[in-house]
Amino acid sequence: MKKESTWALYFLLLLLTSIFFFNFVYPFDRQFLSRFAFLSSSYFAHKKSPFIGACDYTRGHWVWDETYPHRLYDENCPFLDPGFRCHQNGRKSERFRKWRWQPDDCDIPRFNASVLLERNRNGRIVFAGDSVGRNQWESFLCMLTQGVSNLSKIYEVNGNPISKHKGYLVMRFQEYNMTVEYYRTPFLCVIGRPPLNLSNNVRRTIRLDELHWYSKKWVGADILIFNSGHWWNPDKTIKSRNYFQEGGRVNMLNVKEAFRRSLQTWKSWALHNLDPRSSVFFRSFSPVHFRNGTWNDGGRCDKQTEPENDPTKLETEPYHNIFISGVVKQMQYESRKAHFLNITYLSEFRKDGHPSRFREPGTPPDAPQDCSHWCLPGVPDTWNELLYAQLLSEKVGMNKKFPERG
């Protein structure tokens, strides 16, 4: 028994020595060490990894930083919708702008517009999804202005105004021959007339097996950022007499199952139509913060003036993320670059970041508060910083011109 104990102790010491030696010689692999919880939680608790991509940027906390917003942009950015300019719309305090997301074990690389523009010279960046995706797109445009000497050389190629536009918009950065595009497709799928001889109760159908025709325009893009989820609820579907269709058949599915099937359609389209070298991101669900009701029955968020500081008060993981992350994982094979851009947890804390009652001029006084979209500058800037960090870590957008697909 004594001999066995000696050998067990010897083996444990050898194991510990090997782990520490391996970590000293090679860059620290947090995922590997997380298997040894008794080591990673204590010895590495305060170590910050200098290696891009070696950290989980999605776990951390918001810290007060007086200098944070001044390095990005302000409400004078010409590409912001009036509804997102919260200070100009009457929100007196600007404290909501001065919180910076700090990951637990590393620092987010500082966003460098010039680097991103140069790496994507002659390229295309596409955002597709609902109006919260537009929120992120406008933030991205404004962040990129820091790398452009003349804002007049950024323009919409079809001459369309940015505000109050519901189709698609293509912003060209003339100095770099690069476009940053937005396509409004809340469901990503086609929405159309129902089959003939169907009940009058069915107003339109969401065709779960057919991606929106805008998808033809996404082919050839170098970087694509998708989002969906906010319209996948009973109010926007069944209660609005929008039912689900596959082929010529209208199915009485629940919304969750319909959303899952739509993502499978998106995945199949992406695998068959996008160049494997394209970088594809699907952003996670952006949380809403209505209190004492929903958006259409008096829900509010104008009293929320500070970030939440108690993680136990956050909502549980939305089912959308389970489906989205699962589909993205199915695409991650060979040389494909598919990513789940997880912003839900960090955004859950920011109950103070919405326009709330500070809507654009002309909004009726009794209009619902906006606790879904975000003030800009604001939380979506952090989403784009995480996007930038991911692009840096994988050396994406290195002036590659994809050939035509045969």
Side-chain angles (χ1 to χ4, degrees):
M1 185 71 181
K2 185 176 180 181
K3 185 176 181 180
E4 292 176 353
S5 299
T6 302
W7 276 108
L9 181 60
Y10 175 80
F11 177 79
L12 180 60
L13 289 173
L14 181 62
L15 175 63
L16 292 172
T17 303
S18 300
I19 292 172
F20 283 110
F21 176 79
F22 184 87
N23 182 62
F24 180 79
V25 175
Y26 297 99
F28 151 117
D29 183 343
R30 184 172 181 80
Q31 187 176 12
F32 169 75
L33 290 169
S34 65
R35 301 175 190 172
F36 303 90
F38 63 100
L39 292 177
S40 59
S41 62
S42 56
Y43 183 77
F44 297 105
H46 303 290
K47 301 262 182 195
K48 290 206 172 184
S49 171
F51 299 101
I52 296 173
C55 174
D56 180 2
Y57 294 115
T58 67
R59 293 291 161 175
H61 56 284
W62 290 94
V63 298
W64 180 258
D65 186 345
E66 290 276 0
T67 67
Y68 176 61
H70 303 298
R71 72 183 193 211
L72 297 172
Y73 62 94
D74 58 31
E75 286 188 0
N76 293 320
C77 174
F79 309 118
L80 293 184
D81 262 289
F84 303 151
R85 303 174 192 244
C86 298
H87 185 63
Q88 292 181 19
N89 294 338
R91 183 169 182 170
K92 295 180 180 180
S93 173
E94 295 188 51
R95 286 182 59 86
F96 70 94
R97 295 181 179 176
K98 298 181 179 180
W99 294 95
R100 175 175 54 81
W101 179 250
Q102 177 60 60
D104 287 335
D105 300 299
C106 62
D107 294 315
I108 303 174
R110 181 167 179 169
F111 188 91
N112 189 317
S114 298
V115 168
L116 188 53
L117 287 164
E118 187 57 50
R119 286 191 173 190
N120 291 280
R121 184 180 289 274
N122 305 317
R124 293 177 58 206
I125 301 176
V126 163
F127 287 77
D130 57 34
S131 56
V132 182
R134 180 189 176 111
N135 221 178
Q136 183 181 3
W137 174 73
E138 292 187 15
S139 161
F140 191 73
L141 284 175
C142 290
M143 292 170 75
L144 285 179
T145 61
Q146 303 302 307
V148 176
S149 59
N150 186 349
L151 293 187
S152 68
K153 293 186 177 181
I154 307 174
Y155 57 90
E156 208 286 321
V157 297
N158 298 307
N160 291 318
I162 288 186
S163 232
K164 304 300 182 185
H165 192 275
K166 292 188 176 181
Y168 65 90
L169 295 162
V170 179
M171 302 300 297
R172 179 174 296 281
F173 287 69
Q174 184 176 333
E175 295 178 38
Y176 295 89
N177 189 34
M178 185 190 86
T179 58
V180 182
E181 309 165 25
Y182 165 73
Y183 296 84
R184 185 179 183 273
T185 54
F187 292 105
L188 294 181
C189 294
V190 169
I191 305 174
R193 294 179 181 177
L196 296 176
N197 304 320
L198 208 63
S199 166
N200 291 333
N201 188 51
V202 181
R203 184 165 64 98
R204 296 185 302 179
T205 59
I206 303 165
R207 299 174 186 170
L208 304 178
D209 56 354
E210 188 177 349
L211 220 58
H212 196 285
W213 68 268
Y214 283 161
S215 60
K216 296 177 182 178
K217 295 181 175 292
W218 306 337
V219 177
D222 304 280
I223 300 170
L224 304 98
I225 303 97
F226 295 91
N227 83 284
S228 187
H230 280 275
W231 285 49
W232 291 93
N233 59 66
D235 286 333
K236 294 287 189 180
T237 56
I238 306 297
K239 292 181 181 179
S240 297
R241 295 161 52 207
N242 296 323
Y243 289 80
F244 308 115
Q245 179 179 342
E246 292 175 295
R249 181 180 178 184
V250 175
N251 296 323
M252 302 303 292
L253 300 171
N254 64 55
V255 178
K256 289 184 180 180
E257 175 59 19
F259 179 61
R260 188 192 69 79
R261 294 190 187 187
S262 76
L263 292 177
Q264 291 297 324
T265 298
W266 170 81
K267 181 193 76 170
S268 178
W269 170 86
L271 292 175
H272 286 91
N273 292 278
L274 296 182
D275 192 289
R277 291 168 294 178
S278 295
S279 293
V280 181
F281 295 82
F282 207 119
R283 177 174 56 70
S284 68
F285 188 76
S286 171
V288 299
H289 290 95
F290 290 99
R291 298 291 185 266
N292 302 317
T294 57
W295 70 274
N296 58 354
D297 63 1
R300 308 170 64 89
C301 57
D302 57 318
K303 302 300 182 183
Q304 313 299 321
T305 59
E306 298 284 334
E308 180 59 65
N309 57 17
D310 183 358
T312 64
K313 293 182 179 180
L314 302 184
E315 297 290 331
T316 57
E317 185 81 6
Y319 74 85
H320 310 80
N321 287 357
I322 298 171
F323 293 152
I324 294 170
S325 62
V327 164
V328 170
K329 193 170 294 184
Q330 293 168 15
M331 296 173 63
Q332 293 172 336
Y333 62 88
E334 295 180 355
S335 60
R336 286 198 174 269
K337 299 172 182 176
H339 312 278
F340 176 54
L341 185 61
N342 193 353
I343 55 85
T344 305
Y345 179 76
L346 66 90
S347 304
E348 269 284 4
F349 288 96
R350 295 307 308 277
K351 59 184 182 178
D352 62 320
H354 302 284
S356 64
R357 62 185 174 88
F358 303 104
R359 308 286 298 273
E360 63 186 277
T363 301
D366 59 347
Q369 290 198 9
D370 186 350
C371 304
S372 300
H373 300 96
W374 302 89
C375 299
L376 294 178
V379 173
D381 304 333
T382 298
W383 305 350
N384 288 324
E385 288 179 316
L386 266 60
L387 172 65
Y388 176 71
Q390 185 68 57
L391 292 171
L392 282 185
S393 70
E394 300 205 358
K395 299 181 180 179
V396 168
M398 301 297 287
N399 305 330
K400 293 178 180 177
K401 185 64 179 177
F402 297 159
E404 295 293 327
R405 294 176 66 85

